[in-house]
Structures are given as structure tokens and as C-alpha cells.
Amino acid sequence: MTPPPPELDLRQLRAFVVVAEVLHFGRAAQVLGIAQPPLSQQIGRLERRVGHKLFERHARGVTLTPAGRELLPAARGALEQVSGGLDAARRVAGGKAGRLRVGFAASLAFTVLPEAIRGYRRRCPDVELDLRELTSAPQVDALRAGALDVGLVREAPAGPDLAVVPVQREPFVVVLPDGHPLGRDEAVAVEALADEPFVLFPRAAGPAFHDRVTGVCGDAGFTPRVVQRAVEWQTLVAFVGAGLGVTIAPAGVSRLRLDGVVYRRLTPEPAPTVVALCWREGDTRPLLRGFVETVRALGSCDDQAPPRRPHRRGGR
């Protein structure tokens, strides 16, 4: 049976490296802040573990033996690796390093997401951000399954298993084909859209936000007639530009400057859609806490403090 490798004491390796660098036991003892006899004992124990002498003693100091020259780079590497590992462990424990999986609804790439990323990069430059574009309902599923650490969603989900912090309120706009008669004014009455075909995203992609849009229409006395559906806002806006219909969107979508569309305010102005930050209840890791604090500092909601559990279902 092959004998197990010898266990090496880090103090012995440190003592060996210092002696090898100054080539004098007395001066090495001063560098290490210990007396010379204990230093000699540590080197002696290391030599017994290696099975060979590491130094040749002379009247004016020492020189490395072939075994000592072979061991020196490995000893330095081991000490550096341990030091680096300790530093990395401290940084991860302190939330300054590691990997954070962040979900975001696509429309938030036009508003809160870029500023959140910049702010967090400044705060934690060594953290790896794994950004995943998902509609809100799949984000909530991924959070609950442990596949995401935190998510930026519209219309926060319900449930005692998720912590929720509102971070931004965003008004609604109507997206019209360029040249549409309703686009002549700066604002469009919601009831004026009653006879218009709508392009909309599937309810399964974000039930709460879908219901907010249809609810805006319902409050004006009609149910939108949906003629085409798509998951991405860029596709929906392109459909509007192609003349397939109109849609109601968060104001941030107006940053999509596609040809053939115009964006107008709605009257009466509906209650804004709320962007929220969600994570698993009880997850107190510093890595996550730093991201939450960064995003909350960017938010414009009045009700930002303590995390709440709203009674709505996931949005887009």
C-alpha cells in the first residue's frame, strides 16, 4: 500500500521559506519574531517529514540542499495559495466576491436595470453577475426553485416564501402606429381605444401585469380585442409599427425608437405599474444584501422600507 503523503505544517513551511530567503537562522528568527531554537526545531521537524536535509549549515549561515531547492517553489506556492484562499473566503463571506444570479423582466433593460448594474459594479466589482432575461412568472418559479437569487419583476408575486421591495413606479403609455389619428394629440383617452385591435403578450408570461393592462381597458368600459400576441416588447412594438394594432406599455418601452410608432400618455392616467425586487424569504447572504441595498437606493417608491408580501400574482 502506498503511504499517505506527509502532512506539512504551514508554520514549518513559512519558517523554511524565510530561512531559504535570508540564508541565516538568526536573521530568519528575527524576521519571524521567534527565538532561534524554536526555529531550528521547526526546520528539523520539516526535514524529518521530507526525509532529507534542506539546508547545509556553515559558519556564516546556510545554503539550500538539492532537496531544499526543489521544495522552495512548492512551499512558496502553498503559502500563496492558502493566503489567497483565506482572502477569497473573507471576500465571499463579506459579500464582495462570488456569483449572483439576477433575473429581470425585458422592459426593465430600458429603465432600472442598467443603473442597478452600474451601481452594484461600483460597490462589488469582483462579484460575477449572471443576468437572465425572463418574464416575471418564470422568474418567480426560478426564485422558488433556487435557480435565481434575486429578480426584478413587475407587479410583485404573493406568498410568504418571497421577500418583496418596491423600487420604481412607472406610468403607462399607449403605443400607436405612426400617422394614427389618435396620435395627433399628446394624450389619448383610454376609451378611445375601445374599437382598436390590440397586440399583447400572453397572460402566462406575467399574469399580474397582463391583468393591469386589461384592467385599464376594463375601467374604461371595454375588453381589448387582441389580434396578435408576443412575449418581447420589441416584437410587440414592431407589430404596432407594422399596423397590426395598438398596445398599452410601461413608459420605459418608449425608449425603443423603432420606425413607424409613436408613444402617447393616457387619460385619465392609470395607476402606475410597480417594479419590485424579489428574493427568497430568509436569504440573508451578504452577497444578496449588497445587491438589494444598491437597487433600493436607486428606487423612487415611497414605500421602500421593510420588505413586504403583497397580495398580487406575478407580473411581466
Side-chain angles (χ1 to χ4, degrees), residues 96-186:
K96 299 299 183 182
R99 179 170 172 261
L100 191 68
R101 300 165 298 175
V102 181
F104 66 96
S107 59
L108 301 184
F110 310 128
T111 55
V112 69
L113 182 69
E115 195 173 356
I117 293 172
R118 286 193 296 268
Y120 192 63
R121 286 287 189 210
R122 289 192 295 267
R123 177 175 180 149
C124 301
D126 295 330
V127 172
E128 177 189 353
L129 285 177
D130 181 357
L131 301 171
R132 304 182 186 182
E133 181 181 327
L134 295 168
T135 55
S136 294
Q139 274 194 68
V140 171
D141 292 341
L143 284 168
R144 287 174 169 152
L148 278 181
D149 299 310
V150 64
L152 279 162
V153 303
R154 290 192 181 278
E155 308 303 326
D161 55 340
L162 293 179
V164 177
V165 169
V167 295
Q168 187 181 70
R169 298 189 188 280
E170 192 174 351
F172 287 99
V173 296
V174 60
V175 190
L176 302 165
D178 192 13
H180 193 289
L182 293 176
R184 295 170 186 165
D185 299 322
E186 292 184 359

Side-chain angles (χ1 to χ4, degrees), residues 209-232:
F209 187 73
H210 180 280
D211 292 351
R212 283 296 316 279
V213 171
T214 57
V216 168
C217 299
D219 291 343
F222 71 95
T223 299
R225 178 170 58 89
V226 181
V227 298
Q228 185 66 53
R229 297 187 184 272
V231 173
E232 302 300 334

Side-chain angles (χ1 to χ4, degrees), residues 10-34 39 42-43 46 54-55 62 64 68 71-72 75-76 79:
L10 291 177
R11 291 174 301 174
Q12 295 170 8
L13 288 180
R14 170 67 174 152
F16 164 70
V17 169
V18 172
V19 174
E21 289 174 347
V22 302
L23 296 176
H24 194 281
F25 271 79
R27 289 196 294 271
Q30 292 176 351
V31 171
L32 293 166
I34 60 176
L39 172 60
Q42 288 185 23
I43 297 300
L46 181 59
L54 302 174
F55 296 102
V62 297
L64 284 164
L71 178 61
L72 182 57
R76 284 174 171 155
L79 293 172

Side-chain angles (χ1 to χ4, degrees), residues 1-8 48-51:
M1 179 181 295
T2 303
E7 296 181 3
L8 297 180
R48 286 192 292 274
R49 289 193 175 187
V50 173

